[in-house]
Amino acid sequence: MRQAGRYLPEYRAIKDRFGFWEMVRTPEIAAEVTLQPLRRFDLDAAILFSDIMTPLTSAGIQIEFNPGPCVTTPIRSHDAIRRLRLPHRSAIAPFVVNTIKMVREESVRPLIGFAGAPLTLAAYLVEGGGSADYGVLKRWLHDNTPAAHDLLRFLSDLTTRYLHLQIEAGVQAVQIFDSWAGIHSVRTYDEFGLPYLKQILAALDGTGVPRIYLAVGAAHLYRQIRTLPIEVISVDWRTPLDECRTLFPGKTLQGNLDPALLLASSKVVTEETRRTLRQGLGGPHIFNLGHGVLATTPPDNVARIVDIVHAYTRTEDDVL
Ligand code: 1CP
């Protein structure tokens, strides 16, 4: 999940001096921000500081951040899709390659690369930004099905190249963020989500790099998600891990403490972290939050959960 960001004073100090794109596109800064959480907490992995929108600018799309992504000219026509460029792998984000190399040189902790899922990227591109109900997106997908498939195919090709680029540069796992998967019906996800995810994930077969998939608010899609070629399923806080275990046989589960609970008392933080660990006992489990750290999180509570996770003995016969 997102572990850098505004809850850290050292992040805010950098953010006060630079724009978001400048931070992402300057390898020294992006590497520093990637490593900030690791300098403060004894975390087991780093996640690249970048954004799901990063590869899209290389296709000719203008994006600003305020604080979420704003697409200057939303993409809703065949013409706009035809104008998109599919750059050569090395031209997508050379600065990301340098950031990855710098982080790998500075830290022995595994580095996770990432990309947005095509349907989640399309949500921002078609709406022009975040939205309360994603009505424009949903209407557009169903009213303009051929154009929608053209856009999603383009995004899948770009994402495949972008993930290969990150793997070549040295990331040791990749995570696909499908933050808006949960807004869709099973039928819409079946047509516009799943096939493109399969295409991207299958293209990573044989790289030896574990593939992690996170779909937020998407328990109704788990029957579809079961069929994805992934090693790890990242679970948001809504569904207990022990319930997910039976749905995803043979997979590693990642998650799933509710990030909002890091705003609660230390008693709650401790109890809920231990509950998450117990619920993950039935098989391979990567402890994580169920979504990114909130900006109002006290850093001490992050330190607390890291300590609890490291002190936990997985063999203990804990009773819920
Ligand atoms: O810890 C890290 O270094 C992680 C870096 C990271 C990641 C993995 C950032 C930096 N963004 C992301 C992915 C991302 N970006 C997702 C998927 C993960 C998720 O659901 O949380 C999404 C949906 C975005 C889009 C985005 N970018 C948003 C959400 C807007 C919305 O519609 O809800 C926001 C606020 C951004 C800007 C952004 N990206 C990253 C940071 C730290 C920020 C905040 C910038 C700031 O104002 O300081």
Side-chain angles (χ1 to χ4, degrees):
M1 297 308 116
R2 290 203 234 161
Q3 58 186 21
R6 289 188 182 199
Y7 76 104
L8 292 177
E10 57 270 35
Y11 174 90
R12 293 197 299 270
I14 294 184
K15 189 71 208 297
D16 283 346
R17 293 171 51 210
F18 304 100
F20 185 74
W21 273 136
E22 200 178 356
M23 288 166 66
V24 165
R25 290 182 177 141
T26 311
E28 291 76 14
I29 301 177
E32 175 57 27
V33 175
T34 301
L35 291 169
Q36 279 181 343
L38 279 84
R39 297 202 206 290
R40 204 184 243 269
F41 313 115
D42 187 17
L43 295 160
D44 297 310
I47 179 154
L48 176 72
F49 176 74
S50 188
D51 196 79
I52 56 170
M53 307 304 277
T54 298
L56 301 177
T57 54
S58 71
I61 302 166
Q62 269 194 11
I63 299 157
E64 282 161 43
F65 284 88
N66 185 25
C70 308
V71 180
T72 314
T73 313
I75 294 180
R76 297 177 191 154
S77 69
H78 254 303
D79 271 356
I81 296 164
R82 234 175 273 125
R83 279 197 297 273
L84 296 175
R85 293 189 305 266
L86 185 62
H88 184 271
R89 187 189 290 187
S90 61
I92 295 176
F95 48 88
V96 165
V97 171
N98 290 332
T99 303
I100 292 168
K101 289 185 175 158
M102 289 176 81
V103 172
R104 288 296 314 276
E105 266 170 35
E106 260 206 65
S107 166
V108 295
R109 295 290 152 105
L111 175 62
I112 305 168
F114 71 92
L119 195 50
T120 283
L121 296 177
Y124 288 108
L125 293 180
V126 176
E127 292 276 349
S131 158
D133 55 18
Y134 288 91
V136 175
L137 169 74
K138 291 179 181 182
R139 204 209 83 189
W140 188 81
L141 288 172
H142 291 278
D143 269 352
N144 303 277
T145 300
H149 282 294
D150 284 347
L151 177 61
L152 291 162
R153 201 174 306 112
F154 175 85
L155 293 171
S156 306
D157 292 343
L158 182 66
T159 303
T160 302
R161 289 184 185 194
Y162 181 50
L163 287 173
H164 275 297
L165 179 79
Q166 293 182 49
I167 292 169
E168 262 175 22
V171 301
Q172 292 139 297
V174 290
Q175 174 151 336
I176 295 187
F177 285 98
D178 211 347
S179 307
W180 302 112
I183 64 167
H184 296 290
S185 65
V186 171
R187 151 160 173 44
T188 299
Y189 184 77
D190 260 337
E191 176 167 357
F192 298 103
L194 204 62
Y196 299 101
L197 290 165
K198 283 191 171 157
Q199 185 188 311
I200 295 165
L201 291 161
L204 302 179
D205 262 345
T207 60
V209 168
R211 296 162 288 190
I212 311 168
Y213 175 68
L214 167 74
V216 179
H220 62 295
L221 304 173
Y222 280 174
R223 231 167 4 100
Q224 277 65 28
I225 294 170
R226 270 169 76 110
T227 65
L228 290 175
I230 50 176
E231 284 67 41
V232 183
I233 170 84
S234 199
V235 176
D236 76 16
W237 66 90
R238 294 174 177 87
T239 315
L241 291 175
D242 47 0
E243 209 176 303
C244 293
R245 186 68 71 190
T246 49
L247 297 173
F248 295 100
K251 302 273 192 252
T252 296
L253 300 182
Q254 174 175 273
N256 72 342
L257 182 66
D258 186 340
L261 295 186
L262 292 193
L263 311 182
S265 66
S266 58
K267 180 167 173 287
V268 169
V269 171
T270 304
E271 279 172 8
E272 295 304 318
T273 301
R274 290 184 63 85
R275 182 194 311 280
T276 304
L277 288 162
R278 285 195 302 270
Q279 289 178 339
L281 279 175
H285 174 211
I286 301 166
F287 179 91
N288 208 322
L289 300 182
H291 205 177
V293 181
L294 302 177
T296 47
T297 302
D300 281 354
N301 280 346
V302 177
R304 184 181 305 276
I305 64 171
V306 172
D307 287 346
I308 296 168
V309 173
H310 283 162
Y312 193 72
T313 313
R314 291 203 81 213
T315 48
E316 72 191 84
D317 201 7
D318 242 322
V319 182
L320 281 180

